[in-house]
Each structure stands twice: as C-alpha cells, then as structure tokens.
Amino acid sequence: MVTETDFQQAIQLIEQANYVLMTCHTRPDGDAVGSMRAMVDVLAGLGKTVQPLLLSPLAPWYEFLFETPLPVLTDDIPLEQFHNGRFETCDLVMIIDTNSYVQLPEFDRWLRETHKKVLVVDHHITGDNLGDVELIDTEAAAAGEIIFDLIKHAGWPMTNRIAEALFVALSTDSGWFKFANADARLYRNAAELVEAGANPAIIYQKLYQNFSPARMQLMVRMLQSMELHHNGRVAVQHILRSDFDRAGATGRDTENLIDECQRIGSVEVAVLFVELGEDQSRGHSGFRCSLRSKGHVDVRSIAQRYGGGGHKMASGVNMEGDLDQVKKTILDAIAEQMRDLDSVSKS
Ligand SMILES: [Mn+2]
C-alpha cells in the first residue's frame, strides 16, 4: 500500500528536482520501460531535465516506445565516465520496478556512494530500501499502476503517449491480462488508459506479433530441449550459448519464451535455464534460471533460496555450475515444495 503521505513526499521530491536520472532493473521488461517512458514525458512536461538510463539493452519490441534509443550503461556510457561524475549535476534519482541492488549491476556501486535523493517505485516484495522515498505497492500488478496512481494524485496531465506507455507496462506484466495478478484494479486502470488514448490492438501487434526470425528460431531450439519431470508437472528447458549463435539471436530474445510450455495442461512449474556468457558484468559463467508457476508452487521462495527473487508465480536466479548440477538443484527444490504442498492438501 502506498499511503497519501508517500505520494505527497514523492510529488514534493519531483517538484523540487531540476535534473532527474532515471533507471530500472537490468534486462528491462515492458513494465520497467513503459513506466520509464511515461515518467520521462511527465517530467519533461513539468519542465525538468530527465536522463533515462538502461543497465542492459532494450528488447527490439519495446523500441517503439522511444523516438531515440535510450543509452545503455557500459555500451553507450562508459563505466569510467559514469563513476566519475557524468551525472554529477542530477538532483534526483528515480528507480523503477526494482528496489534491489542485485538488479542494478554497476549502478548499485554508484548508488551506494551517492548522496543524491532517491525515489523508488516498485511492486516487488523483496527489496533493499534504496529510496529516501519509496512508492511500494505489492498489490499492484505492475509498477505502471503505481505510476498511474502517482500521476492522478499529482494531477499531472495525461497524454496519448503516456497512456500507451502505461498500457504497455500493465499489459506486459500481466501476460496480456491473463496472469493471476490481473485483478479488477488492473482492468479498471487499463480501461482508463484506453479512454486516455491507448490503442490495445496496435499495442498487441507491436509487442506480440513482432518476433524476428532469429527469435523464432531460438524458441524452436528451446522447445526442442523441453523435458517433463514429476509426472509432467514440471517442464524444464534450456538455451545454450550455441543456440544463440545458431539462431543468430541475443540474450534479449529470451524474454517470455518460458511461458510457451505452460500451454501443457499438466505443467504446474516451468523452468528455463539460459547459459550466461563469459562477458556477463559479474564475470562468472553459469545459468540464468527463470521460474514460472501456475499458482500452486511458490517459485519466489525457490529463487530466494539461491539468492534470486521475484513474485510467487514468476521469479529468477543466477546460478553457477554446469547444466546438470543447476537442473538437479532446482528440480529437487521444486519436488520438495510439491511434496509439502501435496501432503498438506491430502491431510
Ligand atoms: Mn514489474
């Protein structure tokens, strides 16, 4: 829940600021960048200077949100410059859709040292309290819903483009309004955004009918790797570096691919292991493990056990080790939780 006081403090921080540096979690998703797009317009409309900064590249199907590509830390802004005063004159830092250092590679180091005011907008349960003011609403289906509430509280003007950006945030974080987080509030907010100018049919095409051939090839390779475990209740898939090479795809192309195997009726938990490159910012190789649940199994608790986080139905964690090792670790953890849940439901 975001209190009235929280909103007032956030509005005050924004109104007092002249130059806002804005970022979101690494591997930015539709909620993160839709929310950023909306806030960039809001702040520009208030006459603020605003610098959005990504911590890893944007997936191509979100590029339509921005007329000019957003700069990416290290790709476009060298770390050297970043750590040596490139954004020295900013007077407010806005962090969207995360409140965790681990989701802010390289930015975290700067954040720990800076004395600038920080405003966090997030809907995740786990967090490191990064903000001086935090708008945290764990009931919100998307960070975009909190941004929408903030805009309404402040009475800042709504435009077609802000409505479209927020619709992207709400629709993507709910799997186009079909995940368990798709509640009445989400549908109500979506309806308001349509009234304010968002066009769902056009947005759907841009987001979901916009695969590159390489991404489709990557999906085919991933589906070929699928194994079913625990009587078909768990689907496990992987994507290796060689799959990216053969498909001509990049890391961004993996977004949402994990959802495909949830079409199988028996599947309760989907697991996707994506092999990390040697060039990962943290320097180690291993696997990014993404987990999805249809609701019975709490995949956040599994990810958390190994240092990751997320939601009950969608979480992720980076793991070291070879594929067989990480697969066994995760499958054992899922089996353990399923055993506990099954014994509770029987008794
Ligand atoms: Mn989100």
Side-chain angles (χ1 to χ4, degrees), residues 25 29 31-32 97 122-124 141-144 169 173 311:
H25 56 80
D29 57 16
D31 183 24
D97 202 28
D122 189 26
H123 64 131
H124 296 91
D173 249 22
H311 305 280

Side-chain angles (χ1 to χ4, degrees), residues 196-217:
N199 185 328
I202 290 175
I203 294 171
Y204 184 85
Q205 267 186 28
K206 286 175 177 170
L207 291 175
Y208 296 107
Q209 297 182 321
N210 208 1
F211 267 38
S212 64
R215 188 173 187 222
M216 200 73 193
Q217 287 299 333

